[in-house]
Amino acid sequence: MADSRHGVRQNAPALLTLAVAGFLAVTTEMLPVGLLPAIGDAFGVGDSVTGLLVTVFAVMVAVFAVPLTIATKRFARKRLILTTVVGYLISNLLIATAPSFAVVAAGRVVGGLAHALFFSVCIGYVPRLVEHRQVGRGLAVVAGGTTAGFVLGVPLSTALGSAIGWRNAFVTLAVVALIAVVLIVRLLPAVSGAAAGRRIEKPGARTDLGVVVTSNTLTFIGQYTLYTYISVVLLAAGAQESWIGPLLLLCGICGLFGLACVGRTIDRRPRTTVLTVLVLLAVTILAVGLSHQWLVLLVIAVALWNGLFGGVPSMYQSAAVRALTDAPEVAGAWINSTSNIGIALGALIGGSLLASDSATLHLACVGAAFVVAGLVVAVRGRRGFPG
């Protein structure tokens, strides 16, 4: 297995295959969100219990991403990524055929374990395929599938569940997993894992990675303090319930545009890109809070905010891989783990603010404050976010 690196264009089939797998991964994570009431009705359990299907998935990722990545660092990468995709296949089939709610929960545990390892391997695959100066662009291509999963995850789950039933929605996703397996076997080059022996680590690499993952955690907390409750914010501003799906789709499309913009600059001007995006992200989150009484202005602010966030995951992935060049999978594992920690904490913090007067403004102010904290870490951590 040779790690022969070429440009993004030459590796387009492999990178697009990873993008398809990323779409599968995120859609598997998000699919139950729109189906929780139907799943609960099928097994006679309440909303608070079915909500644990989302929580258990995130907890598995946060806890196991780093240890699983370290334990498998010398395994062949292609075989490992195939294993994770098969894990998604098994997870979705278990849920589709589950005779009890316990089996559904077990299926989510299997999916969470696959997810804990998938993004670490996926992020680490790119620098093994693409030459160093195009790593950020390669990660942006792969992140396109991830962003598409976020765009379509909840709307797709709701639409599929209504049209063909929640079990068949999971069957459909199992078919997508099977397609991803075929694409990986046929189009993804084999690359080796980490070499045996002591890693040669550049001075300060762990500190640099610490700066990146700290900023990543704070930014994700800020984003999900508000985004977790975006439906509540839109409804409170006068949006009809039937508008929520299309508005979330609009947010996702804006996110894809933001990802494309970051992909064009992240390799040439990494520090400028990071600082500019974080400043504008904080400003647009505040704009959401300030415009919450005027629906049209609110929708514009929400679209701009989510457009900016579209490039954030690949921005931090690229910075982490550059900080820990000799172990890109470990860098990816830390990004994967801290992103999920940020999502969970953001949801908890936002939930505690919902009962307050002017909840939208409070959500936005707290969310923007966390993003500013992430910006301060990035400004001070020049080595983690170099020019």
Side-chain angles (χ1 to χ4, degrees):
M1 291 180 289
D3 296 343
S4 108
R5 296 177 178 87
H6 301 286
V8 168
R9 190 180 300 275
Q10 294 93 324
N11 277 295
L15 294 173
L16 290 172
T17 294
L18 291 174
V20 170
F23 171 80
L24 164 71
V26 172
T27 308
T28 295
E29 180 178 17
M30 301 299 291
L31 189 63
V33 172
L35 301 176
L36 291 180
I39 295 171
D41 290 344
F43 297 106
V45 296
D47 291 341
S48 60
V49 177
T50 53
L52 294 175
L53 296 178
V54 177
T55 304
V56 71
F57 198 100
V59 168
M60 299 302 289
V61 177
V63 172
F64 288 104
V66 175
L68 275 178
T69 299
I70 293 173
T72 59
K73 64 183 179 181
R74 294 196 176 94
F75 289 21
R77 303 290 95 185
K78 183 170 181 175
R79 189 177 304 165
L80 201 56
I81 206 164
L82 268 173
T83 301
T84 63
V85 173
V86 170
Y88 291 129
L89 174 63
I90 293 170
S91 169
N92 288 307
L93 285 178
L94 270 176
I95 296 171
T97 59
S100 66
F101 185 77
V103 176
V104 175
R108 291 296 283 174
V109 169
V110 172
L113 286 171
H115 206 68
L117 190 55
F118 171 80
F119 275 107
S120 310
V121 181
C122 187
I123 293 168
Y125 224 108
V126 175
R128 298 180 189 276
L129 291 174
V130 176
E131 58 189 0
H132 181 71
R133 64 188 179 88
Q134 293 192 32
V135 165
R137 191 175 165 201
L139 285 168
V141 172
V142 174
T146 304
T147 304
F150 280 116
V151 172
L152 298 173
V154 176
L156 182 67
S157 68
T158 306
L160 280 176
S162 300
I164 60 177
W166 68 268
R167 290 185 185 272
N168 287 328
F170 283 98
V171 170
T172 302
L173 201 51
V175 172
V176 174
L178 190 58
I179 292 170
V181 167
V182 173
L183 290 175
I184 290 169
V185 169
R186 293 180 63 86
L187 298 178
L188 194 63
V191 299
S192 59
R198 191 174 181 273
R199 274 174 34 207
I200 301 173
E201 195 174 88
K202 69 178 182 181
R206 296 187 185 186
T207 301
D208 297 345
L209 181 64
V211 167
V212 174
V213 299
T214 299
S215 181
N216 181 66
T217 305
L218 291 168
T219 301
F220 267 77
I221 291 174
Q223 171 72 9
Y224 280 88
T225 294
L226 181 58
Y227 184 74
T228 304
Y229 304 99
I230 188 59
S231 298
V232 177
V233 169
L234 290 168
L235 289 170
Q240 300 296 316
E241 193 167 346
S242 59
W243 300 355
I244 300 301
L247 288 174
L248 290 178
L249 187 60
L250 171 65
C251 291
I253 292 169
C254 292
L256 286 171
F257 179 75
L259 173 63
C261 292
V262 166
R264 292 176 66 87
T265 62
I266 192 63
D267 287 314
R268 289 177 292 154
R269 295 186 292 275
R271 183 171 178 81
T272 301
T273 300
V274 170
L275 299 185
T276 301
V277 168
L278 292 182
V279 167
L280 294 176
L281 187 66
V283 169
T284 51
I285 289 175
L286 273 179
V288 170
L290 294 173
S291 62
H292 71 280
Q293 294 179 326
W294 302 279
L295 182 59
V296 173
L297 291 178
L298 176 65
V299 169
I300 293 171
V302 167
L304 291 173
W305 156 44
N306 283 278
L308 285 160
F309 188 76
V312 167
S314 63
M315 192 173 78
Y316 280 114
Q317 290 165 11
S318 177
V321 167
R322 291 180 193 280
L324 211 63
T325 52
D326 61 321
E329 289 84 4
V330 176
W334 279 108
I335 291 295
N336 192 13
S337 177
T338 54
S339 296
N340 278 273
I341 290 170
I343 291 169
L345 288 177
L348 286 172
I349 292 168
S352 70
L353 298 170
L354 280 180
S356 64
D357 295 332
S358 302
T360 299
L361 183 58
H362 290 158
L363 288 169
C365 288
V366 173
F370 274 104
V371 173
V372 169
L375 171 65
V376 170
V377 172
V379 169
R380 295 182 62 85
R382 184 171 291 274
R383 281 171 49 91
F385 297 96

